[in-house]
Amino acid sequence: MVVPARRGVGGRVPAARGRPPAAAPRPRPAARRVRRRHYLGAIPTRFAETQELGRDEALAVPLRSLPRPSRLAAEVDLRGQARTAAAALGIETVGDLLEHLPHSPRDRRERRPVASLAPEEDATVEVVVRSVAVRPMRNRRQRRVEARVADESGPMVAVWFNQPWVAERLGVGARVLLHGRMKRRQQFWVDAYEVVDGGAAGVHTLGYVPVYPAARGITPERLREAVHRARERLRDLVEPLPAALRAAERLPDRPAALAAMHFPEDEDEREAARRRLAFEELLLLELALAARRRARQEELRARPLEPTGEVVDRWLAALPFAPTADQARAFARIDAELARERPAQRLVMGEVGSGKTVVALHAMLRAVENGAQAALMAPTETLAEQHLATIDRLLDGLVPVALLTGSTPAGRRREILERLASGELGLVVGTHALIEPAVEFRDLAVVVIDEQHRFGVRQRAALDAKAAPGHAPHALHLTATPIPRTLALTLYGDLEVTELRELPAGRKPVETYVVDGARARARAYERIREEIAAGRQCFVVCPLVEESEALQARAATAEAERLARTEFKDHTVELIHGQMPAARKAEAMRRFASGEADVLVATSVIEVGIDVPNATVMLIEDAERYGLSQLHQLRGRVGRGEHDSLCILFGDPSLPRLQAIARERDGFRLAEIDLELRSEGQILGTRQHGLPDFRVARLPGDLRLLEAARDHAEALLEHDPALALPEHALLREAAAERFGWATEPIPA
């Protein structure tokens, strides 16, 4: 076999010891010099010789260090039920197995002498089997294996429960590693064991033993063994990060990092490996987000909307209140973006009641005064109807606006579609009905997407596609949930962000109480009756039950019936939930908003967009079932008028989340607390924030890594916008596979 020779400086083969150096080579003709440059300055030779390798000989040399990713596509070495269970975990190939990372490793690095073990102490021991027996337990169907074992320090009895097959695997004289707990009478209850002579010693019982997420049909131990069998395939993993970037961040290569995650020497090594993989994950996301933002800004065109003032100035002058300083800054910033040919992409997030709708309407009216159209899309009919009522009130007849939802009557729907297609109708508010194929706009220039994390990326893209051919609309995204900077860098990395923290003049703080018990409940109902007697109204919100709207509806219906019979039998109780017919919901809201109903029993469908200034009490049942942001949104439904308001939360007063909502009134601060209290798996859930499910990164703990990843992503794309350079090819491929690329939507 021939291999390329080792080289010294300049690609020369070092002279063999004891031999004179070879004579200087004669100059080569021009063709040979070209060939040398093709080989990057060095022609392969036979080992310890100067004779060059031919092409066929060189190709025949077996690869020892280069990765062969194709081998990672081999099916994982599992059979039967274990294979089915592994597939449920997303493990079908060797590559999948190596990417299935362990959690909470067990420190079993120390082998202890038997004589040193104290009762109830966990330990690993190495012993020799002297005898094995299977004995019945009190339940005659169960068996226990007892093996008398010993090391140099003394004997003990190793015990396995309901594992009779162990006796067949342990022969007298076998040397075994045992991990478990010492009990009384020198009995050692075994959790894991390995026969030293079997060649697998140390997989389960020695070292920093990883624990893998498992499923019914496959245990963490089985997965651990499978990873050990696939260990040599780690060398076939592809490194997507450029060497210069890894050097700048002092990161190990990917194979080494994954090896340290599966087989760490200690916690420091494992954390260094996790940091490297977390940085990669965050970098890929930031690259995808930045590429999307650049593609939208540089490849797509929007209609410039110059501020003529013909509509917007008249509207601002007629408003019954003065915009806040935050709103005025948002107007100016958005106006500057709307006047450009690059499509605006801005997120407006703000405190409850900070006036996001006013900012959105300002942008929509810019489209109208330029002879174009604007649309606002909301996730539910209830919210769309509330937006229409708010916009109608703010416009005071200045510009016509229509509502288009799935419940719009056929005749009215035809009329709206005709007016949108002709351009006669400049403003429309709606739900998913706006993106149906039959809906056509003459010149859609601005879209506003409210509670945008509740829409899928394809739904948002479908609204974008309603613009004129070759154009994209300016897009404004609204969220009533303030988002910590950590999350904004991830979820909204492709948007510019505007924060509205300032509340309009006259908004009063809402007193918040967390209570529990029968006495507190009786007092709460008495307090509500006092408010009703004074001419006020009350919300009662029923608990979120396992993400099911049907269960929420039943809970709300039962509570409304109970309250109407008991606590509020002398008052009018209305009901609203997401599964009611649109006409019935609208009628319930109308009766409550007009004051005809005293109490509105509802689900969390009312958490945003509901504006009833006369409502002064918010009572929330089972408050521990809600997230902090959702509780803050529900609390924001009261305190909108001139009267003092209160929020009563029924739940455990000792819960940190409920203590926080009672203590804090700043939605931005509550968002930070929420992120601190929740695990990353919860905070990154799609219901609350729509964030990608990170496999390794932990927020907010990895905020510095996230910021570094964002900086590197911007620098890379500034130098190489398409990541087309050879050293960036694998990076681009990894980002596209994980999060989509450029104009592709990020998987939601």
Side-chain angles (χ1 to χ4, degrees):
M1 180 181 70
V2 292
V3 297
R6 293 174 294 132
R7 282 176 168 73
V9 177
R12 296 189 300 274
V13 179
R17 183 173 298 177
R19 295 182 184 177
R26 291 176 295 177
R28 297 181 182 272
R32 301 290 283 176
R33 287 197 295 273
V34 171
R35 183 184 174 194
R36 178 177 292 277
R37 286 198 297 271
H38 176 71
Y39 278 99
L40 302 179
I43 299 175
T45 64
R46 294 176 180 276
F47 179 69
E49 298 180 14
T50 59
Q51 183 180 354
E52 295 181 5
L53 282 177
R55 181 177 182 277
D56 292 339
E57 287 181 302
L59 290 175
V61 175
L63 295 174
R64 295 186 177 182
S65 60
L66 293 179
R68 295 173 62 185
S70 60
R71 292 193 289 194
L72 298 174
E75 292 186 351
V76 69
D77 183 17
L78 293 169
R79 297 289 180 271
Q81 187 179 14
R83 175 183 284 274
T84 303
L89 293 170
I91 303 171
E92 297 182 352
T93 67
V94 172
D96 296 335
L97 179 65
L98 294 177
E99 297 288 346
H100 187 70
L101 299 180
H103 59 78
S104 52
R106 306 290 187 258
D107 189 353
R108 299 175 182 174
R109 289 174 291 178
E110 182 183 6
R111 267 182 280 203
R112 298 281 303 281
V114 169
S116 71
L117 302 184
E120 302 304 320
E121 185 177 9
D122 292 335
T124 294
V125 297
E126 184 174 347
V127 293
V128 175
V129 178
R130 293 181 174 177
S131 67
V132 184
V134 180
R135 305 188 187 283
M137 298 174 65
R138 290 183 180 179
N139 183 341
R140 293 292 177 175
R141 297 179 182 177
Q142 298 179 335
R143 298 286 187 271
R144 58 187 273 168
V145 174
E146 293 184 0
R148 296 189 176 276
V149 299
D151 65 4
E152 292 80 359
S153 69
M156 68 178 187
V157 177
V159 180
W160 289 260
F161 294 96
N162 298 318
Q163 301 176 62
W165 59 85
V166 171
E168 301 173 6
R169 300 176 183 175
L170 298 178
V172 175
R175 181 171 292 277
V176 294
L177 284 164
L178 307 177
H179 181 83
R181 175 168 293 188
M182 178 63 82
K183 310 298 281 189
R184 291 178 298 175
R185 296 192 296 273
Q186 285 297 97
Q187 286 194 348
F188 189 81
W189 290 6
V190 180
D191 293 330
Y193 78 98
E194 294 170 282
V195 179
V196 174
D197 297 335
V203 175
H204 306 297
T205 56
L206 271 185
Y208 226 64
V209 179
V211 179
Y212 292 89
R216 185 171 184 176
I218 188 166
T219 63
E221 291 75 19
R222 189 79 179 270
L223 286 167
R224 194 180 300 141
E225 291 169 356
V227 171
H228 269 265
R229 289 195 299 271
R231 184 171 188 167
E232 65 173 328
R233 293 279 71 83
L234 284 166
R235 72 181 67 174
D236 293 322
L237 291 165
V238 173
E239 172 58 78
L241 302 186
L245 191 154
R246 283 192 286 114
E249 289 294 325
R250 302 177 65 84
L251 300 173
D253 62 44
R254 196 167 203 282
L258 272 175
M261 287 294 289
H262 290 294
F263 316 107
E265 292 293 330
D266 53 39
E267 182 59 31
D268 289 343
E269 183 177 281
R270 181 176 182 274
E271 177 54 27
R274 191 205 67 82
R275 179 180 178 275
R276 185 263 187 256
L277 295 174
F279 176 84
E280 175 189 318
E281 187 170 42
L282 295 169
L283 177 68
L284 297 182
L285 174 63
E286 293 301 329
L287 282 170
L289 289 168
R292 281 183 73 204
R293 183 172 64 250
R294 286 169 174 264
R296 183 179 176 89
Q297 291 179 345
E298 296 174 7
E299 297 176 13
L300 299 176
R301 290 291 175 264
R303 174 174 173 173
L305 303 175
E306 294 291 343
T308 68
E310 294 178 10
V311 176
V312 173
D313 288 357
R314 287 166 53 201
W315 169 67
L316 288 173
L319 283 177
F321 55 84
T324 66
D326 279 354
Q327 288 174 324
R329 281 190 291 270
F331 293 163
R333 192 170 291 119
I334 293 169
D335 273 346
E337 292 178 342
L338 295 180
R340 299 199 300 253
E341 284 192 350
R342 288 184 176 182
Q345 277 277 79
R346 181 164 291 275
L347 169 71
V348 177
M349 62 179 178
E351 183 57 89
V352 176
S354 58
K356 294 176 291 295
T357 305
V358 173
V359 173
L361 185 55
H362 181 276
M364 296 170 74
L365 291 177
R366 283 289 183 223
V368 173
E369 74 178 14
N370 278 266
Q373 295 166 293
L376 187 156
M377 185 167 70
T380 66
E381 289 191 358
T382 300
L383 187 51
E385 290 160 2
Q386 287 298 307
H387 273 305
L388 178 70
T390 301
I391 289 173
D392 249 341
R393 187 172 67 252
L394 290 170
L395 288 173
D396 195 23
L398 179 65
V399 175
V401 59
L403 176 70
L404 183 63
T405 71
S407 301
T408 302
R412 175 67 173 153
R413 174 184 169 83
R414 280 194 302 271
E415 177 194 349
I416 293 172
L417 294 186
E418 290 172 0
R419 295 176 66 200
L420 288 175
S422 68
E424 178 188 351
L425 181 62
L427 295 181
V428 64
V429 176
T431 57
H432 304 75
L434 290 173
I435 62 176
E436 292 175 358
V439 180
E440 296 181 357
F441 293 82
R442 184 181 64 81
D443 189 5
L444 181 62
V446 171
V447 298
V448 177
I449 301 172
D450 191 27
E451 293 300 301
Q452 70 96 42
H453 59 278
R454 297 193 183 187
F455 290 101
V457 288
R458 288 177 178 82
Q459 292 166 324
R460 299 197 293 268
L463 187 57
D464 272 0
K466 298 293 184 181
H471 286 73
H474 298 287
L476 206 60
H477 303 258
L478 308 183
T479 177
T481 304
I483 298 169
R485 181 169 179 269
T486 311
L487 303 187
L489 284 173
T490 52
L491 176 58
Y492 301 119
D494 58 339
L495 303 179
E496 302 298 329
V497 178
T498 290
E499 295 180 355
L500 300 179
R501 293 174 177 264
E502 187 179 356
L503 297 180
R507 284 299 298 266
K508 294 189 175 183
V510 178
E511 293 296 326
T512 304
Y513 303 93
V514 182
V515 298
D516 198 10
R519 288 184 61 187
R521 182 172 292 278
R523 175 56 186 144
Y525 290 141
E526 181 184 354
R527 184 73 179 83
I528 291 172
R529 288 191 291 269
E530 291 171 0
E531 287 294 306
I532 294 174
R536 317 287 175 248
Q537 294 164 279
C538 166
F539 292 102
V540 175
V541 177
C542 290
L544 177 74
V545 184
E546 298 179 359
E547 303 285 336
S548 167
E549 287 192 10
L551 292 176
Q552 287 185 65
R554 286 204 294 274
T557 301
E559 182 67 359
E561 293 172 352
R562 186 188 73 81
L563 291 174
R565 290 194 316 269
T566 58
E567 303 295 345
F568 304 129
K569 60 183 179 181
D570 297 326
H571 306 288
T572 305
V573 178
E574 273 293 345
L575 169 69
I576 184 171
H577 57 73
Q579 295 204 322
M580 291 171 63
R584 180 71 186 90
K585 282 190 294 185
E587 175 61 16
M589 279 306 307
R590 186 199 64 77
R591 285 173 54 78
F592 187 67
S594 67
E596 295 176 38
D598 303 306
V599 178
L600 181 66
V601 179
T603 62
S604 56
V605 70
I606 65 159
E607 70 180 271
V608 290
I610 306 300
D611 188 6
V612 182
N614 194 50
T616 56
V617 182
M618 168 63 70
L619 186 151
I620 304 174
E621 298 283 0
D622 292 336
E624 62 271 10
R625 293 181 178 270
Y626 296 90
L628 260 179
S629 296
Q630 199 170 27
L631 289 172
H632 186 55
Q633 293 301 322
L634 289 168
R635 177 171 61 182
R637 297 312 100 204
V638 296
R640 292 173 167 260
E642 58 182 317
H643 310 291
D644 293 334
S645 299
L646 73 154
C647 178
I648 304 170
L649 307 175
F650 280 102
D652 183 353
S654 67
L655 286 179
R657 187 166 70 253
L658 299 188
Q659 291 175 352
I661 192 69
R663 181 179 68 249
E664 295 285 348
R665 294 183 176 85
D666 182 347
F668 286 87
R669 174 59 189 144
L670 283 171
E672 297 286 351
I673 294 173
D674 201 16
L675 186 56
E676 293 167 6
L677 291 177
R678 289 167 173 254
S679 71
E680 60 269 19
Q682 292 172 308
I683 200 67
L684 300 180
T686 55
R687 175 176 176 84
Q688 180 94 10
H689 291 295
L691 288 171
D693 185 14
F694 290 128
R695 299 168 185 165
V696 189
R698 302 168 183 165
L699 297 174
D702 286 330
L703 176 57
R704 289 187 178 180
L705 277 184
L706 176 60
E707 292 173 336
R710 185 176 174 86
D711 291 343
H712 280 292
E714 290 291 346
L716 283 166
L717 292 175
E718 186 69 29
H719 174 61
D720 182 14
L723 295 186
L725 294 175
E727 61 267 33
H728 298 154
L730 295 176
L731 188 61
R732 176 192 166 108
E733 183 178 335
E737 181 179 353
R738 180 75 168 88
F739 296 111
W741 185 255
T743 55
E744 302 170 19
I746 291 180

